[in-house]
Amino acid sequence: MTDDTTKNGPDATAADAAADAAAYVDNDLTQEEASQPDPLELLKTENGELRDRYLRLAAEMDNLRRRTEREVKDAKSYSVAGFARDMLAVSDNLRRALDAIPPETKEAADAGLSTLIEGVEMTERAMLSALERHGVRKLEPVGQKFDPNFHQAMFEVPNPEVPNNTVVQVVQAGFTIGERVLRPAMVGVAKGGPKPTEAETNSVFDEKDA
């Protein structure tokens, strides 16, 4: 058998087929390796996702902490609101009792009546002082521009000497607790006066901001 026969015979064909198969397998493995993601890139992506989750969780926890602190503060500040309103009603009755005594009666009162009047006045002051320690503040609206957030207009008073809608009389004192209105002040407002100037309006807003 000649060399050409050996090269071109069945053995040669089988060898070529085996070589082609090996090349195909190698190429397939190469493509498969190329198609698989880089482990380092996978690790970086996973690390980035974990970092985003951590930042979101940290932000949520911070918001929860602030909200909880605010709710606790509000609970402390406003938990006595109902009780404070009831005490204001008692204080109003004490004030009405004192106002019902004519000035001449006070001046001519004997020792017993004078002591009683002083005791009622001291009780009223002590009650208001106790409420103030718990964040209850009395409004002083006379001379201010009427504000429906803090005042309740009961009547109008013709007075051309002060700007229109200026509070000129308080029928019932108003109070705030913290930053909220506990009870609006019942007031009388001026009617017919000049309109408030821009400087006066700004002054009212500045006082509120302060």
Side-chain angles (χ1 to χ4, degrees), residues 77-78 80 129-138 175-180 182:
S77 299
Y78 306 120
V80 298
S129 178
L131 289 172
E132 187 172 354
R133 288 196 299 271
H134 289 278
V136 178
R137 298 285 187 275
K138 184 178 180 181
F175 293 84
T176 60
I177 180 170
E179 298 178 355
R180 301 179 185 178
L182 181 64

Side-chain angles (χ1 to χ4, degrees), residues 9 91 98 133 140 151 157 167 183 186:
S91 176
L98 292 171
R133 288 196 299 271
E140 301 293 345
H151 313 143
V157 179
V167 177
R183 188 180 75 183
M186 296 183 180

Side-chain angles (χ1 to χ4, degrees), residues 180-198:
R180 301 179 185 178
V181 176
L182 181 64
R183 188 180 75 183
M186 296 183 180
V187 300
V189 297
K191 179 183 178 182
K195 293 183 178 180
T197 64
E198 183 177 354

Side-chain angles (χ1 to χ4, degrees), residues 26-102:
D26 290 341
N27 184 50
D28 188 53
L29 290 174
T30 302
Q31 291 180 353
E32 185 177 354
E33 291 176 355
S35 65
Q36 291 182 351
D38 185 0
L40 182 59
E41 293 298 328
L42 286 176
L43 187 60
K44 289 182 179 179
T45 302
E46 184 178 359
N47 185 53
E49 292 176 353
L50 290 175
R51 183 173 182 275
D52 290 340
R53 291 180 184 177
Y54 169 76
L55 292 177
R56 286 196 296 269
L57 180 60
E60 291 175 359
M61 293 300 296
D62 187 55
N63 290 335
L64 178 61
R65 178 184 60 79
R66 293 180 181 180
R67 185 165 59 251
T68 302
E69 289 178 352
R70 183 171 60 252
E71 290 175 353
V72 170
K73 181 179 179 181
D74 289 347
K76 291 180 179 178
S77 299
Y78 306 120
S79 60
V80 298
F83 177 75
R85 289 191 188 95
D86 292 341
M87 291 301 98
L88 287 178
V90 177
S91 176
D92 291 339
N93 290 332
L94 293 175
R95 175 44 48 186
R96 293 189 187 99
L98 292 171
D99 292 341
I101 304 174

Side-chain angles (χ1 to χ4, degrees), residues 108-187:
D110 57 19
L113 181 58
S114 296
T115 301
L116 176 61
I117 293 174
E118 291 177 1
V120 174
E121 290 175 342
M122 290 178 60
T123 302
E124 181 193 29
R125 288 195 300 269
M127 183 175 296
L128 294 177
S129 178
L131 289 172
E132 187 172 354
R133 288 196 299 271
H134 289 278
V136 178
R137 298 285 187 275
K138 184 178 180 181
L139 295 173
E140 301 293 345
V142 174
Q144 296 182 359
K145 180 178 173 58
F146 174 78
D147 186 342
N149 295 315
F150 297 92
H151 313 143
Q152 181 177 346
M154 304 303 295
F155 53 86
E156 293 180 326
V157 179
N159 189 341
E161 298 180 359
V162 297
N164 195 43
N165 282 336
T166 298
V167 177
V168 293
Q169 186 176 346
V170 176
V171 178
Q172 186 180 67
F175 293 84
T176 60
I177 180 170
E179 298 178 355
R180 301 179 185 178
V181 176
L182 181 64
R183 188 180 75 183
M186 296 183 180
V187 300

